[in-house]
Amino acid sequence: MCGVFGYIGKDSAVSTVVQGLQRLEYRGYDSWGLAIPIENNIEVYKTLDPLHTADTVPIDFKSTIALGHTRWATHGAVNMINCHPHVSTSKQFALVHNGIVENYQALKAQLKSQNINLISDTDTEVIVRLIEIELSKMKQIDEFCEESLLTADDYQEAFGRVFKVLKGRNTLVLICANLNLLLGIRNGSPLIAGITSDTNNSDDSYKELFIASDYYSFAKYTNTCLLLDNWQMIRCEQNNASIIDLKTNQTIPSNWQEFERHTLELSRDGFSHFMLKEIQEQWSTITRATAIDPLALEKLIHAMNQAKNIYITGAGAAFFIGEQIASILREIANIFVIPVPAYEAKSYLPTMQADDVLIAISQSGETADTLHFIEQAKQKDVLIASVVNMPGAMMSRLSDFPFLSNAGPEVCVLSTKSSTSQLAFGYLLAQTIINQYESAKCNIDRLSHQLSHYFTDDSLQAIADIAKTITGEHIYLLGNQPFIGASKVGALNIKEASYVHAEAFAAGELKHGVIALIEKGTPVICFMNKRNETYMTAIASEVKARGGMIIGISEQHNELFDHMIHLPSPDNPANVITHIIPCQLLAYYLATQRGLNPDKPRNLAKSVTVI
């Protein structure tokens, strides 16, 4: 969660950091703040207002270095005191944090026993006070000096010492006022650096340096990047950066690399919200998702053929997509895959063995529960494949078979185009297993064309009108076979965007208890196509007999439907990719008609990097 963005370079440091934070707002939008060195002190700007207000509020600081943070609250209420950055008592340094200090209560008690007062409820302030203690020890050692000024080496050592007493997955960045210094440490949550090169000097020198939670936040400036691994520190001074391995305290070679050029412009291009824009981009993103080297797929397929067990995992929507991919692999390729929720991995690990295959699904590639599962599986020599949307993600770096979704930046917290891109990968994989790679590509190209004609004003208005008929606080979704995954993702999207309680069931569950939930006017969404029409008609009849309001997501009208949403591509063998789109649109209109912002649902962040 939380977004971190630091910069060293030009006098425009503050505006550069604010723009970077705006691109990271999907990681948390409870509050945001800046730390700027001015005349050897840290000046701080904090606010609970949305980041877009920064475009209208003057922040009158000129500096060549700044550090910012956008917060998703874990410890402490959403208020100004708990807002980051957290500043030292002397105002000589400030700290931002992404993660959870699991032993913070013990550390807090230790500080209180030393009569050190804490003003916030955060675990982050504990880190600041511990660093102050370490720095004070260094000053005492040098007290024989008349002017004992702390050096960059002192800050590096104190920062490293404190980090080593923290438990949990924590990524930290520190800014020092009088040294024009940024120090960053990665453990668990992502941290990536970028530079605009100074061609007259070494590889580690630069004109501008960026340090952030993801590549897209600074991609407009550079594609020369360095990916920090866990337990690595980056030390950024004016015009030079170095990497320290915290396990050995030794400086190690820097591995700068060129990424594919990407831009994330914060423009809705005339759309009311990013969610609607990103839903309608899916006609193009599903084809980009299949821009995969067939040889890379063949290597994964070879490993799957040799494996005793194949697992697929993810968290939240990614797990439901994983379940759908498992279904696709069963039905098309006759391959049995075991879906495992990443947060329930512990009970599955004993059954895993060397050369099994684990396929991980994630938009960010940094989902904490999924990474934790991967790390444990690798200890058993399980082979890892991953499907992620963020270049340079840790999940890709841990994988034997990494694949990119290529959906492009996704600003809305809800996964829309990244989800269909993941399904497109699953469909292509299944078809490649049965030697139908080219046929699958053709089907997806045709699917793209069909989707480009689906998002018409008339079809969108029809879904908006259906959303107006849903006035209660409960919606149930019923599907079977290829629609079970679509119903689960749909229910999650509706909950996330509109705060309406939506719950998905396999249609066969209706008679085994679910029917007790149906009363007059209860909205029930039924997924139906030609294959399951007879079965789902019987299910819908039972719902109708209890007074339920039937919303059919279907290929054709059925007399039992009170309302109907057309499936996007009924005659295409690849249509399983697009089954989730009608509920994306329904979730969008349910949210906007209730006066909610679907781009920023309450209490949520897009990248869940804490366990």
Side-chain angles (χ1 to χ4, degrees):
M1 326 291 249
C2 299
V4 172
F5 195 99
Y7 172 80
I8 303 177
K10 301 177 181 177
D11 287 337
S12 58
V14 170
S15 62
T16 301
V17 170
V18 169
Q19 290 170 22
L21 290 179
Q22 288 173 332
R23 294 178 174 86
L24 290 169
E25 197 174 13
Y26 71 86
R27 299 182 65 85
Y29 31 84
D30 291 332
S31 62
W32 64 277
L34 304 169
I36 310 110
I38 303 292
E39 296 181 355
N40 295 330
N41 282 317
I42 296 290
E43 297 291 342
V44 172
Y45 177 90
K46 299 183 181 185
T47 180
L48 305 182
D49 294 333
L51 261 159
H52 68 79
T53 61
D55 298 332
T56 58
V57 177
I59 305 172
D60 296 325
F61 297 113
K62 296 292 183 184
S63 178
T64 60
I65 178 172
L67 176 63
H69 183 274
T70 182
R71 184 176 185 233
W72 186 84
T74 58
H75 291 70
V78 178
N79 58 37
M80 291 291 287
I81 293 175
N82 294 328
C83 180
H84 294 220
H86 289 272
V87 186
S88 66
T89 307
S90 65
K91 291 192 173 183
Q92 287 299 292
F93 73 90
L95 186 80
V96 297
H97 174 207
N98 181 14
I100 291 177
V101 180
E102 294 175 1
N103 59 332
Y104 103 98
Q105 289 181 318
L107 295 172
K108 185 176 180 179
Q110 173 187 321
L111 290 171
K112 284 189 173 181
S113 70
Q114 298 173 345
N115 295 319
I116 295 174
N117 292 322
L118 300 173
I119 61 172
S120 79
D121 300 315
T122 67
D123 51 349
T124 309
E125 189 190 358
V126 169
I127 306 172
V128 173
R129 304 302 162 222
L130 291 171
I131 293 172
E132 287 179 325
I133 291 171
E134 291 299 325
L135 291 172
S136 67
K137 292 177 183 176
M138 294 173 183
K139 279 189 174 181
Q140 290 170 12
I141 292 171
D142 292 340
E143 63 185 357
F144 60 88
C145 298
E146 193 170 320
E147 290 291 333
S148 174
L149 298 177
L150 292 167
T151 66
D153 287 343
D154 293 330
Y155 275 95
Q156 176 184 319
E157 185 174 351
F159 195 30
R161 283 183 191 171
V162 170
F163 170 76
K164 291 174 183 178
V165 304
L166 307 179
K167 294 182 179 178
R169 305 169 79 92
N170 295 283
T171 290
L172 312 166
V173 181
L174 178 148
I175 186 169
C176 180
N178 64 331
L179 296 172
N180 274 1
L181 172 71
L182 285 174
L183 294 172
I185 297 176
R186 174 191 172 127
N187 185 36
S189 301
L191 197 61
I192 180 170
I195 55 172
T196 58
S197 297
D198 183 350
T199 54
N200 296 322
N201 293 298
S202 68
D203 291 341
D204 291 330
S205 64
Y206 58 84
K207 292 180 182 177
E208 296 177 283
L209 178 138
F210 311 84
I211 183 167
S213 297
D214 78 28
Y215 164 54
Y216 288 143
S217 61
F218 59 76
K220 66 179 288 188
Y221 304 103
T222 183
N223 65 333
T224 302
C225 300
L226 185 146
L227 307 173
L228 266 75
D229 287 329
N230 288 339
W231 282 77
Q232 286 185 348
M233 177 192 290
I234 184 168
R235 172 170 163 172
C236 313
E237 299 171 270
Q238 201 71 41
N239 305 120
N240 188 264
S242 56
I243 306 298
I244 298 95
D245 182 339
L246 288 172
K247 293 179 180 177
T248 63
N249 292 324
Q250 299 298 310
T251 300
I252 59 176
S254 305
N255 181 26
W256 296 96
Q257 52 191 287
E258 301 291 316
F259 277 20
E260 184 180 344
R261 280 281 182 185
H262 283 279
T263 57
L264 173 54
E265 295 304 328
L266 296 175
S267 169
R268 296 193 297 268
D269 294 336
F271 290 90
S272 300
H273 297 89
F274 282 105
M275 182 178 178
L276 187 59
K277 175 176 180 277
E278 289 162 4
I279 289 172
Q280 294 193 49
E281 288 175 348
Q282 290 174 104
W283 73 269
S284 64
T285 54
I286 59 169
T287 55
R288 294 207 301 267
T290 59
I292 297 171
D293 181 358
L295 292 178
L297 281 176
E298 292 292 349
K299 290 178 181 177
L300 171 58
I301 291 167
H302 176 74
M304 292 170 67
N305 288 335
Q306 301 300 311
K308 183 174 181 180
N309 298 297
I310 303 168
Y311 302 85
I312 194 162
T313 192
F319 173 65
F320 298 145
I321 295 297
E323 285 188 306
Q324 189 67 46
I325 292 173
S327 173
I328 292 169
L329 288 166
R330 283 196 306 272
E331 292 194 17
I332 293 176
N334 198 30
I335 288 182
F336 181 68
V337 178
I338 304 166
V340 181
Y343 22 75
E344 295 295 331
K346 187 174 182 180
S347 62
Y348 291 84
L349 281 164
T351 69
M352 302 179 83
Q353 53 191 279
D355 297 327
D356 281 352
V357 172
L358 174 64
I359 303 171
I361 309 295
S362 173
Q363 191 283 139
S364 68
E366 300 286 353
T367 309
D369 290 299
T370 310
L371 281 173
H372 188 54
F373 187 11
I374 288 171
E375 290 161 357
Q376 292 174 298
K378 284 180 72 72
Q379 292 176 7
K380 304 192 74 170
D381 294 322
V382 172
L383 298 172
I384 308 298
S386 62
V387 184
V388 307
N389 192 40
M390 185 65 68
M394 179 57 77
M395 215 168 284
S396 299
R397 291 148 64 191
L398 290 173
S399 297
D400 302 283
F401 311 101
F403 297 93
L404 272 177
S405 297
N406 295 313
E410 206 173 44
V411 177
C412 175
V413 166
L414 277 72
S415 293
T416 53
K417 60 182 182 176
S418 60
S419 292
T420 48
S421 293
Q422 291 157 354
L423 288 170
F425 169 85
Y427 175 77
L428 185 65
L429 173 63
Q431 292 287 355
T432 305
I433 290 171
I434 61 171
N435 300 313
Q436 294 297 315
Y437 174 85
E438 294 298 337
S439 174
K441 294 270 285 186
C442 289
N443 289 336
I444 291 172
D445 287 343
R446 185 160 67 91
L447 195 69
S448 170
H449 179 72
Q450 290 172 308
L451 268 184
S452 70
H453 295 286
Y454 182 72
F455 302 116
T456 65
D457 290 343
D458 287 345
S459 63
L460 295 176
Q461 187 59 52
I463 297 173
D465 290 342
I466 291 171
K468 291 176 183 176
T469 69
I470 300 172
T471 57
E473 293 301 317
H474 305 280
I475 301 174
Y476 302 105
L477 296 87
L478 302 176
N480 73 327
Q481 295 173 5
F483 294 114
I484 291 177
S487 65
K488 289 183 178 180
V489 174
L492 180 61
N493 289 163
I494 290 168
K495 282 183 282 198
E496 291 173 318
S498 70
Y499 317 148
V500 174
H501 170 239
E503 196 165 354
F505 300 96
E509 290 289 330
L510 181 72
K511 296 182 289 292
H512 301 280
V514 175
I515 201 165
L517 301 171
I518 308 302
E519 56 188 12
K520 187 175 181 179
T522 301
V524 178
I525 296 172
C526 292
F527 289 85
M528 188 182 296
N529 64 4
K530 292 176 183 177
R531 287 176 57 190
N532 73 351
E533 185 175 11
T534 301
Y535 179 77
M536 287 304 298
T537 296
I539 295 291
S541 297
E542 293 165 358
V543 171
K544 193 79 170 179
R546 271 75 182 175
M549 180 179 75
I550 305 293
I551 301 171
I553 297 181
S554 179
E555 296 177 352
Q556 59 189 17
H557 186 73
N558 187 296
E559 63 179 12
L560 292 169
F561 296 163
D562 295 287
H563 307 283
M564 178 185 162
I565 302 173
H566 283 279
L567 285 165
S569 45
D571 62 342
N572 193 314
N575 58 17
V576 67
I577 297 168
T578 59
H579 289 341
I580 64 175
I581 291 175
C583 281
Q584 292 175 354
L585 288 165
L586 187 61
Y588 172 77
Y589 288 113
L590 281 169
T592 56
Q593 289 170 14
R594 290 169 177 243
L596 304 172
N597 181 354
D599 290 341
K600 299 176 183 178
R602 67 187 180 200
N603 304 333
L604 296 180
K606 191 172 191 69
S607 180
V608 184
T609 55
V610 295
I611 293 177

